[in-house]
Amino acid sequence: GGLNIDIDNLAIRSYPGEWGVIEAPVDDPQFGSVVRYLNDVEGGRLENVEIVGGYWYGVKLEDWWDNPGPDAVRRGASQITIVGCKIHDAGWDAVKIVPGADDITIE
């Protein structure tokens, strides 16, 4: 369901002069997000792509929701840049940044 990114510093961008589209259905809960950065990803870039649909979200930046104990450190996707993208027609939010995701830039 969707594109799950678990690689640090991965850049996804359209080829120069072209416009890439990443799309998922809005009516299928198996596609909760079109693009989802998993909770321990550091660094990454979405550039000049169109993201369409997703049952809940177009782009979601995750963290550890099932915190294992009182001394555990919540760690989320961090240092992600989204630039020049068209994100639309998601079921709920175009971009979801959860608590614990840090240093996110949207231009």
Side-chain angles (χ1 to χ4, degrees):
L3 175 62
N4 293 313
I5 298 172
D6 64 353
I7 299 171
D8 293 342
N9 299 308
L10 179 68
I12 298 173
R13 63 176 57 104
S14 293
Y15 189 79
E18 297 185 13
W19 192 256
V21 178
I22 305 170
E23 186 171 0
V26 74
D27 60 354
D28 185 346
Q30 290 185 349
F31 293 92
S33 302
V34 180
V35 177
R36 184 171 74 130
Y37 284 90
L38 300 181
N39 53 15
D40 57 353
V41 171
E42 290 185 17
R45 187 172 181 94
L46 282 175
E47 184 175 352
N48 298 331
V49 294
E50 185 170 4
I51 298 165
V52 183
Y55 186 79
W56 292 106
Y57 312 112
V59 177
K60 186 173 185 194
L61 300 131
E62 294 282 5
D63 86 345
W64 289 103
W65 280 105
D66 54 348
N67 196 337
D71 296 328
V73 176
R74 292 184 75 163
R75 182 173 174 206
S78 63
Q79 301 172 22
I80 308 297
T81 300
I82 301 170
V83 61
C85 293
K86 298 176 187 176
I87 305 169
H88 60 92
D89 293 324
W92 194 259
D93 294 323
V95 179
K96 169 80 171 191
I97 303 172
V98 301
D102 194 23
D103 194 19
I104 309 301
T105 302
I106 301 173
E107 298 178 3

